[in-house]
Each structure stands twice: as structure tokens, then as C-alpha cells.
Amino acid sequence: NAGVMQNPRHLVRRRGQEARLRCSPMKGHSHVYWYRQLPEEGLKFMVYLQKENIIDESGMPKERFSAEFPKEGPSILRIQQVVRGDSAAYFCASSRGATDTQYFGPGTRLTVL
Amino acid sequence: QQQVKQSPQSLIVQKGGIPIINCAYENTAFDYFPWYQQFPGKGPALLIAIRPDVSEKKEGRFTISFNKSAKQFSLHIMDSQPGDSATYFCAASKGAGSYQLTFGKGTKLSVIP
């Protein structure tokens, strides 16, 4: 049973470009969470999604960031017009139900030049 | 405001030693306290978790001690091995069905042979 898959593992963007991060949950999991980890910091919750629905986006910056989890395909975290402060590791987690253990993917390390 | 404070930031022990990592929280609504282990370049993996109705939980060489009145919990690693070298994060979530994990900043553990 494959774990949570994220791609790309590393992403380099110049200021002003768009970054698209993908997350495929574990088989049988329909709940997806995105977290951001800044250097020397713990993970910070960003958004919680179920298929085709955003349940809680209270941790998402109000501008430039968006997330989706379509009926088919992976969950996408999109960052428009990236700035240097967006450089971080972005982790996706999935769970079978909302109260079940969250399993994390290997992360996407975004570097903004 | 940091809701979960973790210490120390880094820790070096010799093989066979018992590293102890401490976390403190302020929000009394927290009722689920997991610990995650993260190796370089990997996502966090759930190690062990506890709820406040017990004061201690053991799984293999890993033990969580929980002090509800002091709002503190700690991770002990018995007979530590070089393979335990990793970053450890404590976390907390609140309320039945809660999904939003609040993480500490992490402790980088090095176990030297």
C-alpha cells in the first residue's frame, strides 16, 4: 500500500512565478491536509480538504494561496506570484476519516529565488 | 502565540542513553497529544500518541509521560540508538473529531555511538 505521494520533491521558482504542488493521498483516504514548515520551525496547518470540498482553510494566507481536491486526481496547492518568504517545505497528509491518524508525505521543498 | 512549546531545541546523547524531550501547552481544550519522528528529507511519521485520561504510555522503547495539571508531556527514548537520530515533534489537537494539529518547533536528536 503506497503511502502519501507528493510531487515534485523539490521546486525552484523565481519571484512572481506560480508554484503548483501535488499530493496523492493513501489508498482509501479521502481527507487531505496541507501543512507548511519554515526552517527551524514546526509544521503549521494550512488547509483541510475532502473530495471537491474545502472544509477548513483557516491557516491559508488570504492572498495568492489556493487549494483544491478534485473528484479525480491529486490535491493541488497553488501559490501564485511567489515571494521569497514562501520558501519552505510543504507537507501533505491524509487520513481515512477526520478523526483518524494523519499520514504525511515526504514533502515538497519550495525555493523561491 | 506559540500554543505548544517544545524543548530542548537540540539534544546529543550517547548510545544507550535516555533522551527526554519536553512539551508544554496552554490550551486546556487540547485532548490528543501525538509525537512525530522526522528523518532528513522525509515527512513526519507518527511515533506514539496519548490522551489526557492516562499519565503514561509505552510503545517499545518510546514512552510518553503526561502531566495534566502542569499541562506538560514528554517523550523518553530508552536505550537510544544511532538510528533514533532524527527530529522529534510534539503536537496537540483539541476537541472530539479535531483534525488540526498544532506542532512544537521540534527537537533535533543526535545519538552518538
Side-chain angles (χ1 to χ4, degrees):
Chain A
N1 187 12
V4 178
M5 314 231 342
Q6 290 188 249
N7 66 81
R9 295 292 308 277
H10 300 273
L11 183 61
V12 179
R13 285 287 179 266
R14 296 191 181 279
R15 281 179 297 171
Q17 292 184 319
E18 179 179 283
R20 291 168 66 94
L21 288 61
R22 296 175 189 78
C23 168
S24 297
M26 286 178 69
K27 186 176 180 181
H29 288 193
S30 59
H31 300 252
V32 166
Y33 317 82
W34 286 93
Y35 291 81
R36 177 165 64 176
Q37 184 179 32
L38 295 170
E40 310 299 323
E41 296 279 328
L43 284 75
K44 296 263 192 304
F45 169 82
M46 298 181 74
V47 61
Y48 162 37
L49 310 102
Q50 292 181 32
K51 284 286 187 182
E52 300 184 278
N53 287 304
I54 297 174
I55 307 301
D56 180 354
E57 55 182 350
S58 59
M60 288 269 275
K62 293 289 185 283
E63 297 177 350
R64 302 187 297 108
F65 285 72
S66 63
E68 63 178 13
F69 189 15
K71 187 176 180 181
E72 301 290 336
S75 174
I76 306 284
L77 179 68
R78 179 187 300 169
I79 311 172
Q80 295 178 302
Q81 299 175 328
V82 296
V83 300
R84 289 221 173 103
D86 296 333
S87 295
Y90 291 83
F91 290 95
C92 165
S94 74
S95 66
R96 189 175 298 277
T99 60
D100 295 328
T101 298
Q102 296 180 25
Y103 294 88
F104 284 81
T108 293
R109 279 147 185 86
L110 172 66
T111 301
V112 180
L113 301 177
Chain B
Q1 180 188 4
Q2 188 184 354
Q3 295 196 54
V4 178
K5 294 184 179 180
Q6 183 171 348
S7 63
Q9 191 173 4
S10 62
L11 187 55
I12 300 174
V13 299
Q14 288 214 303
K15 178 182 173 183
I18 306 176
I20 301 173
I21 304 170
N22 301 298
C23 284
Y25 63 97
E26 297 178 357
N27 191 335
T28 54
F30 286 144
D31 68 350
Y32 176 66
F33 303 91
W35 284 89
Y36 284 82
Q37 180 188 55
Q38 184 180 29
F39 292 105
K42 304 290 186 183
L46 179 65
L47 197 59
I48 186 173
I50 198 169
R51 292 196 183 272
D53 52 345
V54 297
S55 60
E56 186 176 278
K57 184 175 181 179
K58 289 184 181 181
E59 284 187 9
R61 295 184 294 108
F62 300 92
T63 299
I64 300 179
S65 298
F66 187 84
N67 186 330
K68 187 174 181 178
S69 61
K71 291 185 286 186
Q72 296 176 346
F73 57 110
S74 59
L75 177 70
H76 302 229
I77 305 176
M78 312 303 256
D79 186 27
S80 58
Q81 302 295 314
D84 296 329
S85 298
T87 299
Y88 293 80
F89 292 95
C90 62
S93 65
K94 57 186 176 182
S98 177
Y99 49 81
Q100 190 174 131
L101 292 168
T102 300
F103 284 83
K105 289 192 174 185
T107 297
K108 186 173 182 180
L109 171 66
S110 298
V111 181
I112 54 178

